[in-house]
């Protein structure tokens, strides 16, 4: 497994002596799956984002929400419905630029209210690698997408945007899901399988304008 940098804070003045070595026994179940998603991404030949983990939470929702909500209002509710990948591709650079947090596009499946949604394994990933554009045309986007911070915090805008549930800015804000990694009770439960946008580019999801 490739090396990870574990940082105690976002303070760039921290010395190298303040960095911790990775200790998988001390990380959360989500972090373990997140680590594995990086390895899986590279195993399939896709480019993965830089591997950085922080022990201290770094997402400030007071800074994140205005970016998300401004994008929602600017785009319009109807235009966002069903645009799963397009929304994340548009929002990711906006959020990273505004907050300074290297958020990572995360692809996987979830358990919500005890029900598995888009559950899959490597067989589905391989099917898209082999099928390329035909697979996207045939199956749509059978993945759940969200963003992960270096502290393994989860930011999920799916229920706020591309499902069309939110009709106002206030409703959109209420539907944005933020989960810090130390949250004990989780719903939804997130299961990452791949990270980064390269999967969409290399399999034709973006190139052919399907997503």
């Amino acid at each position: 497994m490739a090396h990870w940098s574990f940082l105690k804070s976002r303070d760039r003045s921290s010395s190298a002596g303040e960095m911790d070595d990775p200790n998988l026994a001390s990380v959360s179940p989500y972090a373990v799956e997140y680590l594995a998603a990086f390895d899986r991404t590279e195993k399939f030949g896709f480019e993965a984002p830089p591997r950085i983990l922080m022990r201290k939470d770094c997402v400030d929702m007071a800074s994140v929400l205005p970016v998300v909500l401004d994008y929602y209002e600017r785009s319009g509710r109807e235009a966002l419905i069903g645009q799963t990948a397009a929304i994340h591709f548009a929002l990711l650079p906006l959020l990273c630029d505004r907050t300074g947090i290297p958020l990572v596009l995360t692809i996987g499946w979830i358990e919500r209210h005890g029900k598995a949604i888009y559950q899959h394994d490597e067989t589905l990933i391989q099917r898209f690698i082999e099928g390329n554009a035909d697979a996207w045309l045939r199956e749509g986007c059978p993945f759940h997408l969200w963003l992960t911070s270096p502290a393994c915090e989860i930011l999920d805008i799916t229920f706020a945007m591309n499902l069309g549930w939110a009709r106002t800015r206030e409703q959109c804000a209420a539907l944005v899901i933020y989960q810090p990694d130390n949250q004990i009770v989780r719903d939804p439960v997130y299961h990452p399988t791949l990270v980064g946008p390269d999967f969409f580019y290399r399999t034709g999801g973006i190139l052919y304008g399907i997503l």
Side-chain angles (χ1 to χ4, degrees):
M1 181 174 291
H3 174 72
W4 282 76
S5 295
F6 278 71
L7 308 181
K8 289 186 176 180
S9 73
R10 295 171 59 191
D11 184 358
R12 295 180 184 273
S13 65
S14 298
S15 67
E18 293 178 315
M19 293 186 180
D20 296 8
D21 289 330
N23 179 4
L24 289 181
S26 67
V27 301
S28 69
Y30 178 79
V32 171
E33 290 189 54
Y34 186 58
L35 292 167
F38 276 81
D39 291 333
R40 186 178 298 108
T41 299
E42 293 176 341
K43 183 186 77 171
F44 276 109
F46 302 119
E47 182 179 351
R51 302 184 177 217
I52 302 174
L53 283 184
M54 301 170 62
R55 294 193 181 277
K56 185 177 179 180
D57 289 350
C58 56
V59 171
D60 177 7
M61 289 303 287
S63 299
V64 167
L65 269 182
V67 180
V68 173
L69 299 179
D70 288 349
Y71 174 78
Y72 171 80
E73 288 192 324
R74 187 168 61 250
S75 302
R77 170 181 174 272
E78 296 296 332
L80 296 174
I81 296 175
Q83 300 301 307
T84 306
I87 292 170
H88 285 82
F89 273 62
L91 262 178
L92 184 57
L94 295 175
L95 285 167
C96 292
D97 181 65
R98 186 73 63 87
T99 67
I101 301 170
L103 296 164
V104 171
L105 177 67
T106 312
I107 305 163
W109 60 280
I110 65 172
E111 297 173 67
R112 184 170 184 266
H113 303 328
K115 179 182 178 181
I117 300 175
Y118 291 141
Q119 185 172 8
H120 61 272
D121 56 19
E122 294 187 3
T123 302
L124 179 63
I125 298 170
Q126 187 63 43
R127 198 155 70 232
F128 275 79
I129 292 173
E130 296 171 357
N132 281 284
D134 288 340
W136 291 108
L137 287 169
R138 181 178 62 251
E139 303 193 40
C141 185
F143 306 97
H144 195 86
L145 275 61
W146 64 93
L147 303 176
T148 304
S149 81
C152 286
E153 300 156 285
I154 292 166
L155 182 65
D156 187 349
I157 57 174
T158 295
F159 303 101
M161 291 198 183
N162 55 286
L163 296 182
W165 290 1
R167 294 182 175 274
T168 66
R169 183 182 177 95
E170 291 72 25
Q171 289 176 350
C172 183
L175 288 168
V176 172
I177 295 175
Y178 165 68
Q179 285 187 3
D181 193 43
N182 58 5
Q183 181 173 316
I184 297 175
V185 179
R186 289 176 175 269
D187 190 86
V189 179
Y190 291 81
H191 299 282
T193 53
L194 295 171
V195 292
D198 201 38
F199 169 69
F200 290 96
Y201 286 117
R202 297 282 293 276
T203 60
I206 298 299
L207 178 64
Y208 292 95
I210 296 168
L211 303 175

